[in-house]
Amino acid sequence: MPALMFPAQLMQSRRYCQPRLVLLGDAAHCCHPVGGQGLNMGIRDAAALAQVLQTAQQQRQHLGSLMVLKRYDRWRRYENWVMLAFTDILNRSFSNHWLPMVTAACLC
Ligand SMILES: Cc1cc2nc3c(=O)[nH]c(=O)nc-3n(C[C@H](O)[C@H](O)[C@H](O)COP(=O)(O)OP(=O)(O)OC[C@H]3O[C@@H](n4cnc5c(N)ncnc54)[C@H](O)[C@@H]3O)c2cc1C
C-alpha cells in the first residue's frame, strides 16, 4: 500500500463514535505540532474513554452502544476543540509575516 500524507494542521472528525467504534488520538483530531499537544490530547482521550467504559460497566450498560460512546464523544470533542483552536492560533501567529506579529513572536 502506498504511503499517504496529510498536512499537519487543524482537523477534527465530526463524530468520534459509531456503535462499537470510537476514534481517539490522531485518528480523531490533528493539529500543527507547534504547541506540542497532539500526544497529550490522545492520552486524555484514552483516559476519558476508559472512565466512560468503566462507569458504563458498573451500570451494566452495553459498552458498544451509541448512548455510552456518545458520552466520550461529547466530553472529548469539546475539550479537544479548545486545545485545537489554541494550537491553530499559535501556528497562525508564528507563520504570520505581518511585521507587528513577527515582532511579537520574536519577543515570545
Ligand atoms: C514533528 C512533530 C512533533 C510533535 N511533537 C509533539 C509534542 O511535543 N508533544 C505532543 O504531545 N505531541 C506532539 N506531536 C504529535 C504526536 O506525535 C501525535 O499526536 C501522536 O503521535 C499521535 O499518536 P496516535 O497513537 O494517535 O497516532 P500515531 O502516532 O500516528 O500512531 C498510529 C499508528 O497506527 C499505525 N497504522 C496506521 N494505519 C494502520 C493500519 N491500517 N493498520 C495498522 N496500523 C496502522 C501507524 O503506522 C502508527 O504506528 C508531534 C507531531 C509531529 C509531527
Side-chain angles (χ1 to χ4, degrees):
M1 190 171 148
L4 301 173
M5 288 190 298
F6 60 91
Q9 65 182 30
L10 173 65
M11 283 190 272
Q12 174 150 244
S13 174
R14 278 193 212 102
R15 279 177 296 186
Y16 279 14
C17 66
Q18 291 281 347
R20 301 171 64 90
L21 183 145
V22 291
L23 296 178
L24 69 162
D26 275 19
H29 43 74
C30 172
C31 59
H32 192 278
V34 67
Q37 290 302 314
L39 181 63
N40 294 334
M41 284 193 285
I43 291 170
R44 287 193 212 105
D45 290 347
L49 180 60
Q51 195 171 319
V52 163
L53 293 180
Q54 190 182 27
T55 305
Q57 191 179 31
Q58 285 162 356
Q59 295 171 351
R60 298 183 184 281
Q61 293 170 332
H62 190 280
L63 300 189
S65 72
L66 204 51
M67 182 189 74
V68 167
L69 299 180
K70 272 192 171 172
R71 290 177 201 144
Y72 157 76
D73 183 315
R74 283 192 293 267
W75 180 354
R76 290 308 302 155
R77 214 146 42 83
Y78 171 73
E79 285 193 13
N80 285 335
W81 257 129
V82 175
M83 192 52 74
L84 290 167
F86 168 73
T87 313
D88 196 51
I89 290 168
L90 268 187
N91 179 32
R92 286 170 194 268
S93 308
F94 282 105
S95 55
N96 198 298
H97 298 294
W98 187 47
L99 187 60
M101 195 62 95
V102 174
T103 311
C106 288
L107 294 175
C108 287

